[in-house]
Amino acid sequence: MTSTHALYDAYEQRYWRELVRRTRSRGIEFVLGRREGPYVWERDSGFRLLDCGLTGGVHGLGHRHPDILAALTGALEAGLDSGLWNFPTHEMLAFQDLMAALAPVPALNRTVVTLGATASIDLAVQFCARVTGRHKVLAYRHGYHGHAGFAAMVTGSESEGIAGHYGLPNSTARFFPNYGVLDDVAAAMGPDIAAIIIEPFNYETFAPPPADYLPGVEALCRRHGALLIIDETRTGLSRSGRLWMSEHDAFTPDILISGKGLGGGLYPVSALLTTEAIYDDCINGHAYGFASSMAGNEIACTVGRRVLEVASRPETLAHVARLEARFREAFAALCERHPGVYAPAHIRGGVVTLGLRDPADADAIGPALFRHGVYCHSVSLVDPLVVKFFPVLTAPLDIVDEVAEALDRFARRGH
Ligand SMILES: Cc1ncc(COP(=O)(O)O)c(C=O)c1O
């Protein structure tokens, strides 16, 4: 078998060179071996890592969650495959029904299933263009919505945005500079805007918006005849302590995107939720309103439905509340013990952040935590400086002690 080191060498030649170099420059070489619940193990060394990055929530319910694994293997053993896209399936209807029953607002009672959030966002932008007859989308300057097509065009993040790199048409997006500031959105709004696309928290800092922000954004959309797309690719599926983060605030989006964890880390599934009126106009207003060979196949719908069932269980949500409380307690203690290193920051459900006092720690903390066995999500690139964690929502509570111990060790070196 190719060694870990040789795999990295090969990846540097023929995969994503910059990623490999960046990872190696931090002293990290890690090839996934065993994985279970909140942990992954390095294939060759057996080094165990507590995964608090989860590829932004892909493994939100844990690696190889037994119920979701059972749904997937059960579907395969029952004789299902990716099907024939032009014949109806029971699984699609059952998935749609559950999605509609669990949507944050009753108006979002139609679902289109795709193979990934990027594809769902592409479709959402197309929907908004058709419904409004306009072509510009307003998005957060430091946001991220995907790496291809319209999703890439509405991604403004300076580090991850690639619209300029590929010379994509720049007529699609207009960006507002600050998240959570309604005046910024209002200033960028105009009669040419088809939609606003936004996550229900700040892409970089994970900070929730002020309570009146998202309702205010909706009101702006209504006033200007634009639509509102909420991107819950990372924030949905109980990450925030509610099934959808949108449920924390009183507003009604026109389109909601779910993805990443919707496939349980086992199968590609994403969903676009919208209203009956938008759905009918876009999908049924043309003989081929949307088609994709593999999207919404029986296996995808079986897995997605089981994920929804597990994520929405009262026990799951109660557990997320317990995790939140433990993180709050542990991080408050860390801030008290190391006031020169850490500062209090937002924690909401399984969205967990800790402030860093010293900008020099931004580069150092990720690799250090990794060495101590904890893989964090990332560090914010805009103020405030925070280190971010996406813990597995079903993980035992004592993973909090592991995270706190790793942070404590980091703070004790040289400070
Ligand atoms: C908020 C958000 N939207 C959309 C996407 C695109 O998802 P995918 O890469 O699964 O297509 C991502 C991926 O990181 C994301 O974080």
Side-chain angles (χ1 to χ4, degrees), residues 48-203:
R48 192 184 81 169
L49 200 54
L50 174 66
D51 187 5
C52 291
L54 309 177
T55 320
V58 169
H59 303 282
L61 297 174
H63 289 268
R64 296 170 61 81
H65 188 288
D67 292 4
I68 299 159
L69 198 55
L72 175 63
T73 55
L76 294 171
E77 279 159 14
L80 304 185
D81 63 9
S82 62
L84 300 172
W85 69 273
N86 45 351
F87 293 108
T89 71
H90 159 79
E91 284 73 16
M92 167 67 89
L93 294 182
F95 179 51
Q96 285 183 327
D97 283 347
L98 186 59
M99 193 57 112
L102 295 173
V105 288
L108 297 176
N109 61 0
R110 288 291 182 274
T111 300
V112 184
V113 188
T114 76
L115 289 174
T118 298
S120 295
I121 285 164
D122 273 349
L123 201 55
V125 172
Q126 283 180 197
F127 279 15
C128 295
R130 172 168 172 83
V131 169
T132 63
R134 308 170 185 173
H135 298 99
K136 227 177 186 59
V137 175
L138 202 50
Y140 173 40
R141 163 54 69 199
H142 303 283
Y144 180 85
H145 300 288
H147 247 67
F150 289 124
M153 291 181 209
V154 299
T155 287
S157 162
E158 274 162 37
S159 58
E160 293 161 311
I162 40 120
H165 173 66
Y166 287 107
L168 299 180
N170 61 8
S171 52
T172 302
R174 183 180 303 151
F175 297 104
F176 55 88
N178 299 298
Y179 189 94
V181 181
L182 201 53
D183 285 350
D184 277 10
V185 188
M189 193 48 148
D192 55 341
I193 296 296
I196 296 180
I197 184 165
I198 196 164
E199 279 191 281
F201 69 1
N202 184 327
Y203 175 75

Side-chain angles (χ1 to χ4, degrees), residues 242-260:
R242 307 217 181 145
L243 185 61
W244 308 107
M245 197 183 263
S246 302
E247 290 173 43
H248 291 268
D249 301 305
F251 73 106
T252 301
D254 299 288
I255 295 178
L256 182 146
I257 307 296
S258 177
K260 289 201 187 262

Side-chain angles (χ1 to χ4, degrees), residues 323-364:
L323 268 177
E324 173 180 337
R326 277 288 279 268
F327 270 110
R328 281 184 185 283
E329 205 180 307
F331 280 19
L334 279 166
C335 291
E336 212 167 285
R337 206 172 320 131
H338 306 289
V341 183
Y342 298 129
H346 292 285
I347 298 177
R348 185 192 243 188
V351 179
V352 178
T353 68
L354 180 64
L356 298 175
R357 300 263 184 216
D358 183 354
D361 284 347
D363 284 338

